[in-house]
Amino acid sequence: MVQFHIQPDSDIPASTQLYNQILYAIASRQFPPGQRLPSTRALAIQTGLHRNTISKVYRQLEEDGLVESLAGSGIYVRAQAHNSSPRSSSPVIEKYPAAEKIVRRSLEELLKLGCSLNEAREVFIAEIDWRLRSSAQVLVTVPSDDIGVGKLMVDELQKALGVSVQLVPIEELAAILEQTPSGTVVTSRYFIGVAEAIASPKGVRVIPVDVYDYSQEIQTLKKLPKGNCVGIVSLSSGLLRGAEVIIYSLRGSELLVRTAQPGDSYKLNGIVKSAHLIISDRASYAAVRAAVQAARENIIRPPQLVCCENYIATDSIDSLKRELGID
């Protein structure tokens, strides 16, 4: 069972701490689609929060499109399902021996619905054409107040997909889609509800990507002696806030946590001089190393540096490749 910890003396409101921790659990698939969330009573016992506060957090998650309430059953993580129609009108049976069976089974289902063969053919071709148009343009969208996380996603997706990826603030997404209605919108599962509300009415699909689970980094944090200072450096202000909450949930007040974005030299230098361990995203790692090198004469022991290679989970990138028809 996922454990949640509320830090009572934190500047971050308790409801925000819980919201961020549940978001992280969903985004990293610790709470996979279809997973039932803990009851408000169980979570109240675990966290010490009032059940009304937990209900408010659950309502916010539901409004954001991340969970759904089933009457008499509970709160469940919403499944982000995608159609799985064939991506090629001429599959190479020798290469994909199961393809013919899949096509036949799909065709039989259409015929059972009353479609003629010509109508079924039109359905297949329309789906294939739409996916080809969608893969021609990939838009990453995130809120403008955390545009740094979008930069992380764009950098990773361009390298992984080998296609041009455009970063669009979610506040400008509607205007962009008015000009270019074809394409695929990609966002973190954190922002899926808002992105779908904008893109779906325009016939543009939205694909959520899952966050890397940071399991290796978390194990490193668990082993740190009490009283150590941990520095977190990232382009994403949201990732910094989330990381602070997660570390508090793991270690409470045992560790001192300091955060900075790579462009904030004052905070970054403070971290370099005080931290025993600095964890950074790949985009910030060069700035962290340069700051450590510059301060080397003024520090007795250089901090241990850990570079997180990914923000997006590998499985999620592989799934996105399949959705876009990219080999």
Side-chain angles (χ1 to χ4, degrees), residues 67-298:
V67 302
E68 56 185 350
S69 175
L70 300 182
S73 179
I75 307 293
Y76 292 81
V77 177
R78 198 182 74 169
Q80 304 294 336
H82 303 290
N83 295 331
S84 57
S85 301
R87 292 176 176 80
S88 173
S89 58
S90 302
V92 182
I93 304 303
E94 293 80 6
K95 187 174 182 180
Y96 305 107
E100 187 174 15
K101 291 182 180 179
I102 294 171
V103 171
R104 285 181 176 176
R105 186 164 59 247
S106 300
L107 181 57
E108 288 170 0
E109 291 296 323
L110 288 173
L111 295 177
K112 288 179 182 178
L113 293 176
C115 287
S116 67
L117 284 174
N118 282 332
E119 288 171 333
R121 180 176 183 273
E122 183 178 337
V123 169
F124 280 121
I125 291 176
E127 175 69 11
I128 292 165
D129 287 346
W130 179 70
R131 294 208 174 201
L132 288 173
R133 290 195 305 271
S134 296
S135 63
Q137 177 171 256
V138 177
L139 305 175
V140 167
T141 191
V142 296
S144 57
D145 63 0
D146 191 14
I147 203 69
V149 77
K151 293 177 181 178
L152 290 177
M153 293 171 64
V154 167
D155 179 62
E156 291 185 18
L157 291 179
Q158 285 190 152
K159 292 177 180 177
L161 303 179
V163 300
S164 177
V165 181
Q166 180 182 351
L167 176 59
V168 178
I170 208 164
E171 296 85 353
E172 301 174 15
L173 182 59
I176 295 295
L177 294 181
E178 289 290 345
Q179 302 171 15
T180 55
S182 63
T184 295
V185 173
V186 177
T187 190
S188 166
R189 203 171 294 275
Y190 288 103
F191 315 121
I192 182 65
V194 179
E196 280 190 335
I198 296 170
S200 295
K202 301 180 184 300
V204 177
R205 66 177 174 171
V206 181
I207 299 178
V209 291
D210 297 312
V211 176
Y212 165 63
D213 64 10
Y214 297 101
S215 57
Q216 294 181 355
E217 292 79 7
I218 287 173
Q219 289 304 313
T220 299
L221 289 168
K222 287 181 176 179
K223 296 176 183 177
L224 278 181
K226 293 181 181 180
N228 272 212
C229 176
V230 178
I232 308 294
V233 183
S234 174
L235 284 179
S236 168
S237 58
L239 188 58
L240 293 178
R241 291 192 297 269
E244 188 172 1
V245 171
I246 298 305
I247 295 173
Y248 275 126
S249 74
L250 290 171
R251 299 294 303 270
S253 58
E254 293 179 349
L255 301 177
L256 173 63
V257 181
R258 303 185 66 178
T259 64
Q261 292 183 284
D264 190 335
S265 58
Y266 179 79
K267 285 188 175 181
L268 181 57
N269 289 334
I271 288 175
V272 166
K273 292 177 182 178
S274 61
H276 299 81
L277 170 71
I278 301 177
I279 300 175
S280 76
D281 56 43
R282 184 169 53 187
S284 305
Y285 188 64
V288 173
R289 288 191 62 185
V292 171
Q293 188 64 33
R296 187 171 290 273
E297 294 181 0
N298 299 317

